Amino acid sequence: MIFYIARRLLLAIPVLFGISLVAFALVRLVPGDTATVMLGMQYTEARGEQIRAEMGLDQPVPVQYAIWLSRALSGDLGQSGFTGQPVTRALRERLPVTLQLASSAVLFALVMALPLGMMAAVNRGRWPDHLAMTVGVAGLSVPNFWLGILLILLFARTLGWAPSGGFIHLFEDPVGNLRTMILPAFALGLAVAAVLIRTMRASMLDVLGQEYLRMARAKGCGPLRLYGVHAFRNALVPVLTVLGIQVGYLLGGSVVIESVFGLPGIGLLALEAIRNRDYVLLQGVIVFVGTAFLLINLTVDLLYAWVNPQIRYG
Amino acid sequence: MVDSFRHAGQPLCPHPSAVAGLVVLSLLGLLALFAPVIAPYDPFALSGNAMLAPPGPDHWLGADQLGRDLLSRLLYGARISFHVAVLSVGFALGIGTLAGGIAGYVGGWIDQVVSRCVDVLFSIPDILLALAIMAALGPTLNHLVLAIGIVYTPIFARIARGAVLDLRHADYIEAARSIGSSPAAILYRHVLPGILGPLVVQTTLSFAFAILTEAALSFLGLGVEPDQPSWGILLNQGKDLMERAWWIAVFPGLAITLTVFCFNLVGDGLRDALDPRVRAEKRA
């Protein structure tokens, strides 16, 4: 296991390096140099030269990358060209909102997917199965931003059950926080739920065909214990692995959902960076999100290898 | 190769939902193709009399805040969606299959480089990567095709590499190698037909993702040019008018959902049809 962990960690290093390279290269693709973009209408030759010198933009590109990377490794992702705020501070301030949105979406997805997937597998070929699979395909097909708009229209503007946007901190007003999060979590979590329903169904079908369940049934084990305990526990492992893969969707989807609901998270930060042409900030968001996604997937892989020895010795 | 395609098409018949999806998609494709003939109005024509007109005999799906006919704009929007989906997925399929196929077949440092590049692109969420590319290049149709193409290339590379790794030591590949076939000929004549099944399934599902991504980027203002009637842009324009004119945001959303739903049905049907385990289960 230690060898497996060491190998996976070593493989993560070039990927981290690649993420930094992509983020750096994307900003260099922007027409015009960063100083011109940052200063906009206030651009003067002298001010431009000063910014270039401060940011090391007067150096050759490989040197610029080396300077930027060494600063990034020490936790300095630069300063926002628009607000002047350190990028790491902006990320730290916005992270809790995105984390809460993503975890609420996961919670919603699990609550919806596990019973539906299980019900579909147990009733294979019958109407509960067809219903669950239809929800599974439909959930993947509805654009989350459209669903968000419809939810706002129905539950916020028409029924008045939830606010149409904004964010209230959990510690300031827990009930208010829940009300601001419920619609975005549903809009973001539906597609994840759809994927998990299909995974749970397939996984349960695999488990239901195994000998030990037939034995349990033959020994008179009741359906609740048979499906709810014996089958459910074993069917859960692939579901959790797929959930790990869905983190990328949640982080990406949060860009759109935070925009629809006006939630001040990292997704909205990325959009603000793009709209304000704040490329230092955008670079920081890409590096942060990419690294977070990589580490989450690495953790899921290691956990999976821990519970499934075939992976680490394969 | 022809056999593989025949094999891929034939077993869709026992999947009525996939066939229904294919029929609806063909219809949508025809509507998009003949939009200039079918559309009742010019999608860009402003009309002071029709501002926010609800669905009715003059404007079947209503009109927007500038009096533009929504049905006409949706038909032209379908052209944009299909154009972006076909070109971007074609790009991803071509580049991804080539890179993954070569990496899996040749192995060594080439495999390492391709695999790490794929890992890097997989580590940045789709929408964020596409947004960043669009922010760097600027919102145009061609840039959108490129951005979505880049985002979906790694999945094809990974599928092709995995499938080639499985096939590399198959007897018939070894036989072709032993009679002196070149690597390029082996890849094209013997390996490609063998990996076609998973690629066909992924291509179909990627059309759905590409349409969703295009709509999301256009909705956020970083897709096609803002004057184009993309479904995402129509949704964006309609979202603030939902209480007064629900149709402006509802119909484009329905169009996206229906198209993506049909691609997903076809993709699922193909996956079941081409999966030997599912085929064996059905025979049993």
Side-chain angles (χ1 to χ4, degrees):
Chain A
M1 185 69 192
I2 290 171
F3 177 72
Y4 180 80
I5 294 174
R7 200 173 131 249
R8 292 306 313 263
L9 286 175
L10 275 177
L11 280 175
I13 294 170
V15 178
L16 280 173
F17 178 73
I19 293 170
S20 71
L21 208 59
V22 168
F24 181 82
L26 277 173
V27 171
R28 294 311 178 276
L29 277 176
V30 177
D33 76 344
T34 312
T36 323
V37 171
M38 275 174 70
L39 290 169
M41 297 296 283
Q42 288 152 0
Y43 181 85
T44 60
E45 198 59 42
R47 187 83 185 97
E49 287 303 321
Q50 190 193 341
I51 294 271
R52 282 187 202 100
E54 278 171 17
M55 297 179 72
L57 296 173
D58 49 356
Q59 305 283 331
V61 174
V63 177
Q64 287 181 35
Y65 175 66
I67 294 170
W68 176 75
L69 187 64
S70 63
R71 283 180 185 164
L73 285 173
S74 63
D76 176 12
L77 289 169
Q79 289 187 327
S80 158
F82 193 70
T83 61
Q85 190 186 30
V87 171
T88 41
R89 196 197 298 164
L91 288 167
R92 214 171 33 236
E93 283 174 10
R94 301 293 190 100
L95 182 62
V97 180
T98 302
L99 276 183
Q100 201 195 344
L101 174 63
S103 48
S104 310
V106 166
L107 188 69
F108 159 75
L110 286 173
V111 166
M112 186 174 172
L114 296 184
L116 267 178
M118 208 161 93
M119 191 179 77
V122 171
N123 296 287
R124 190 185 186 187
R126 293 200 289 270
W127 72 263
D129 187 18
H130 297 310
L131 174 75
M133 290 311 281
T134 307
V135 173
V137 182
L140 277 178
S141 308
V142 179
N144 55 17
F145 48 96
W146 185 56
L147 181 63
I149 294 170
L150 293 183
L151 290 174
I152 290 173
L153 182 72
L154 180 64
F155 292 105
R157 303 231 172 113
T158 309
L159 298 171
W161 291 355
S164 59
F167 180 71
I168 299 168
H169 278 279
L170 181 65
F171 299 116
E172 275 176 26
D173 176 5
V175 177
N177 172 272
L178 191 69
R179 279 163 51 86
T180 57
M181 273 294 164
I182 201 153
L183 297 183
F186 180 82
L188 185 59
L190 184 66
V192 180
V195 174
L196 295 186
I197 287 170
R198 293 148 71 106
T199 313
M200 184 66 187
R201 176 186 179 272
S203 175
M204 271 297 273
L205 283 175
D206 268 355
V207 171
L208 290 177
Q210 285 178 13
E211 284 296 326
Y212 77 92
L213 272 190
R214 284 190 205 137
M215 175 64 85
R217 203 179 283 129
K219 284 175 76 176
C221 184
L224 197 67
R225 189 165 174 77
L226 188 76
Y227 299 127
V229 179
H230 293 302
F232 179 78
R233 260 206 326 230
N234 285 306
L236 214 54
V237 177
V239 175
L240 295 180
T241 311
V242 171
L243 186 60
I245 297 167
Q246 291 301 308
V247 170
Y249 165 77
L250 289 169
L251 292 174
S254 68
V255 177
V256 187
I257 291 299
E258 286 173 11
S259 161
V260 171
F261 288 93
L263 291 172
I266 288 188
L268 196 61
L269 186 70
L271 275 178
E272 287 165 5
I274 290 169
R275 283 176 189 148
N276 297 329
R277 307 187 77 183
D278 189 345
Y279 295 109
V280 177
L281 182 57
L282 180 62
Q283 197 169 253
V285 172
I286 294 171
V287 169
F288 178 78
V289 172
T291 308
F293 186 27
L294 180 73
L295 292 179
I296 291 166
N297 273 335
L298 190 65
T299 311
V300 171
D301 282 356
L302 294 178
L303 284 174
Y304 195 50
W306 183 54
V307 298
N308 187 355
Q310 279 179 321
I311 300 282
R312 56 180 192 265
Y313 298 120
Chain B
M1 180 99 67
V2 174
D3 275 354
S4 300
F5 272 118
R6 198 180 297 142
H7 199 61
Q10 178 194 27
L12 258 191
C13 301
H15 297 271
S17 55
V19 174
L22 199 61
V23 170
V24 176
L25 279 178
S26 308
L27 196 68
L28 287 171
L30 285 174
L31 287 174
L33 194 65
F34 294 106
V37 183
I38 302 166
Y41 295 90
D42 175 351
F44 302 99
L46 311 179
S47 166
N49 298 330
M51 280 181 189
L52 297 180
D58 289 341
H59 297 277
W60 288 2
L61 301 184
D64 68 7
Q65 66 276 32
L66 298 174
R68 293 171 296 193
D69 180 61
L70 198 58
L71 174 62
S72 307
R73 290 177 72 72
L74 277 179
L75 289 171
Y76 276 82
R79 288 166 78 87
I80 296 174
S81 289
F82 279 89
H83 175 94
V84 171
V86 169
L87 291 185
S88 60
V89 174
F91 174 92
L93 174 70
I95 305 287
T97 307
L98 192 68
I102 291 173
Y105 189 78
V106 177
W109 68 268
I110 293 180
D111 184 25
Q112 285 299 321
V113 170
V114 171
S115 298
R116 294 298 79 76
C117 288
V118 165
D119 288 346
V120 169
L121 291 177
F122 264 130
S123 300
I124 304 170
D126 298 357
I127 289 275
L128 186 61
L129 181 60
L131 272 174
I133 296 171
M134 290 304 288
L137 300 178
T140 69
L141 191 63
N142 289 339
H143 292 161
L144 189 59
V145 168
L146 183 68
I148 298 176
I150 290 173
V151 164
Y152 291 111
T153 296
I155 184 79
F156 286 102
R158 193 168 271 185
I159 288 172
R161 178 182 173 272
V164 170
L165 278 177
D166 279 347
L167 285 179
R168 196 166 58 164
H169 299 299
D171 288 343
Y172 71 98
I173 303 286
E174 294 288 356
R177 207 177 285 137
S178 65
I179 60 168
S181 298
S182 68
I186 293 175
L187 275 174
Y188 180 71
R189 283 202 205 121
H190 305 293
V191 175
L192 190 58
I195 64 173
L196 217 54
L199 287 178
V200 167
V201 174
Q202 188 55 48
T203 302
T204 315
L205 294 173
S206 294
F207 281 135
F209 296 135
I211 285 175
L212 278 177
T213 310
E214 184 277 321
L217 291 176
S218 297
F219 175 79
L220 293 172
L222 282 153
V224 295
E225 294 90 337
D227 59 336
Q228 293 297 311
S230 147
W231 289 344
I233 287 180
L234 298 185
L235 253 175
N236 189 341
Q237 289 167 348
K239 75 176 194 303
D240 298 324
L241 296 163
M242 281 291 277
E243 280 160 297
R244 288 165 60 203
W246 55 267
W247 51 92
I248 306 179
V250 166
F251 289 124
L254 280 177
I256 299 169
T257 305
L258 177 69
T259 312
V260 173
F261 186 71
C262 290
F263 273 119
N264 282 332
L265 285 182
V266 176
D268 280 356
L270 278 170
R271 183 190 285 145
D272 286 353
L274 295 170
D275 186 340
R277 286 177 308 177
V278 178
R279 278 213 304 264
E281 265 177 39
K282 282 199 185 295
R283 273 200 299 270

